Amino acid sequence: LQADNNLNDLTQTDLDELMGIGPSDDVNVLVFMDKLDDFAYLYYIVPGDMVLLDYEYNGQEVNTGDPVVFEEFVSYAEDNYPAEHTLIFFWDHGGPTAGVGVDDTTPEGVSDWLTHQELISALKGHTVDVMAMDECSVGQIDVMYEYAMGLDTKYIVASESYIGYRGFPYDLILERLVLYPNMTAYDLSLVCVQEFQELFMSTPYMSEILTTQSVIDLSKIVPLANALRGLTDLLSADISKYSSAIKYAQAQAIMPWGARSAGRIDLPTFVEGIGAKAPGPAIQAAVEEFLAIYEEAVPAMGVTKNSDIYSYQGLGTLFPPSASFLTVASAAMFEKYKLFDFADNGWLQFLEAYFGADLI
């Protein structure tokens, strides 16, 4: 729970939810928390209370953007509360390029993100069944490809768009896990999405728009990315022929409320748009192959009452409005993006062909 930032005041509701259920003989609940203007502490959750554990970082100002801090938390949990299965929630700001949490008051005196690459390095040698992101915009194929290549993890629960300030209903998720501790990793991932959607379909949270969560099967992401490359290679080979279809597909797939300014689109909607406008059996076959794998890669998605009218199908990707968006307006972000493995799997080559610009 990385609250050493402007989300600090939102922590208590989630902590109260966890304490409202607590652990069982089959389920342990640990929270490592760093709040704004306070030190870090590690707690074991029991009904109605948080028990302070004997932990090296207790009472210290730590940097939760440091992968060493994260890895030591995971190792402590494994060593002291061994379990057959593990679910990790990340609670903080999130970003498709920046990472899964920012600490604004570090010992070093600068803000620091736990980047996606640092998360992967910290979990090397650790097995995590499910990672659930109580954060915005992590649900991108660019990020999931990175995770699929580097993590021993079955499922990710993440949003391709924004999420409401309310986040996951931890009491309802924990209650179902305590009742059914032998559920599979997929079932638990599905519970996270179902309870999230149920909450955001209710007053007062139903007024929030563009709020999504998806179950992502990491074992299907590399085949999905390879199918996408098969499609984009065909498009790039005759870009003038297909440029109007690409423009149409991009317009159909734009996610509203800031996603345009972030240069993000909904990936399956984009591919469907290509299928609708690009002729030829080779293109159609590539579209069908991608969509068939996609059904397995993103088997479940939850949306709010309002966001279900938009082009959300569960997984986004980078497709900026122009080349200058990457080279000028968001140049610092783009330099980090080029370090992602997905960028080298044909996607940047496709964007180069479409924009007629040198991006690599």
Side-chain angles (χ1 to χ4, degrees):
L1 196 155
Q2 301 158 280
D4 206 347
N5 49 56
N6 64 352
L7 297 178
N8 178 75
D9 292 342
L10 302 177
T11 59
Q12 194 59 47
T13 297
D14 292 325
L15 295 173
D16 288 342
E17 288 177 345
L18 291 172
M19 288 187 285
I21 304 298
S24 70
D25 290 341
D26 299 303
V27 179
N28 290 312
V29 182
L30 279 73
V31 175
F32 180 58
M33 178 169 62
D34 183 22
K35 297 183 68 177
L36 190 65
D37 299 324
D38 198 358
F39 299 120
Y41 296 97
L42 178 62
Y43 297 99
Y44 184 81
I45 302 298
V46 299
D49 200 5
M50 296 163 53
V51 178
L52 186 66
L53 297 173
D54 183 14
Y55 189 55
E56 62 177 311
Y57 289 128
N58 283 343
Q60 295 186 30
E61 178 60 63
V62 303
N63 177 6
T64 54
D66 184 344
V68 173
V69 173
F70 173 54
E71 194 279 331
E72 290 183 0
F73 163 56
V74 174
S75 292
Y76 179 95
E78 290 177 346
D79 292 343
N80 293 276
Y81 297 89
E84 295 177 13
H85 304 287
T86 301
L87 162 64
I88 297 177
F89 284 99
F90 287 92
W91 187 108
D92 196 0
H93 290 292
T97 305
V100 295
V102 62
D103 190 323
D104 284 339
T105 61
T106 67
E108 297 79 17
V110 296
S111 293
D112 189 22
W113 283 84
L114 182 64
T115 69
H116 299 296
Q117 290 80 9
E118 288 174 336
L119 180 156
I120 292 168
S121 69
L123 287 180
K124 185 176 182 180
H126 300 280
T127 298
V128 178
D129 295 83
V130 180
M131 289 201 309
M133 310 305 189
D134 201 348
E135 305 172 330
C136 297
S137 306
V138 175
Q140 316 291 323
I141 192 172
D142 327 66
V143 178
M144 295 304 114
Y145 189 82
E146 201 85 351
Y147 287 1
M149 298 290 284
L151 292 178
D152 184 7
T153 300
K154 296 181 177 69
Y155 295 98
I156 305 290
V157 179
S159 172
E160 66 175 311
S161 61
Y162 301 104
I163 65 168
Y165 73 91
R166 181 58 189 80
F168 288 112
Y170 290 98
D171 52 345
L172 301 177
I173 295 170
L174 180 56
E175 181 179 39
R176 291 178 65 176
L177 179 59
V178 167
L179 286 173
Y180 304 102
N182 293 320
M183 70 172 72
T184 66
Y186 171 73
D187 288 339
L188 182 53
S189 300
L190 191 60
V191 164
C192 293
V193 169
Q194 289 172 339
E195 295 295 353
F196 178 91
Q197 177 172 330
E198 185 73 19
L199 176 66
F200 278 90
M201 294 286 278
S202 305
T203 304
Y205 309 110
M206 63 189 299
S207 62
E208 298 215 20
I209 63 172
L210 315 181
T211 301
T212 71
Q213 286 285 0
S214 298
V215 176
I216 300 165
D217 183 343
L218 281 190
S219 70
K220 306 297 182 183
I221 290 298
V222 172
L224 184 70
N226 291 339
L228 181 63
R229 178 161 193 172
L231 173 61
T232 57
D233 282 351
L234 290 172
L235 297 171
S236 299
D238 197 349
I239 200 70
S240 60
K241 177 180 179 180
Y242 297 118
S243 61
S244 62
I246 297 169
K247 183 178 181 180
Y248 167 84
Q250 182 194 22
Q252 294 296 114
I254 290 173
M255 296 183 287
W257 195 26
R260 184 63 165 172
S261 62
R264 294 281 160 177
I265 61 170
D266 181 82
L267 182 56
T269 302
F270 172 77
V271 173
E272 289 173 347
I274 296 294
K277 293 296 183 179
I283 293 290
Q284 294 301 314
V287 166
E288 291 173 7
E289 179 185 4
F290 174 89
L291 294 176
I293 300 173
Y294 188 81
E295 289 186 5
E296 299 179 347
V298 185
M301 179 184 177
V303 298
T304 65
K305 180 179 180 180
N306 295 308
S307 63
D308 61 2
I309 67 174
Y310 297 108
S311 57
Y312 291 111
Q313 297 191 59
L315 197 63
T317 194
L318 176 70
F319 199 134
S322 65
S324 64
F325 175 95
L326 299 178
T327 57
V328 179
S330 301
M333 176 280 293
F334 187 50
E335 287 303 308
K336 296 178 182 178
Y337 179 80
K338 287 191 287 187
L339 300 176
F340 283 65
D341 291 329
F342 179 78
D344 289 331
N345 195 40
W347 191 247
L348 276 187
Q349 291 89 336
F350 165 65
L351 293 180
E352 275 195 328
Y354 177 65
F355 289 121
D358 183 8
L359 300 175
I360 300 174

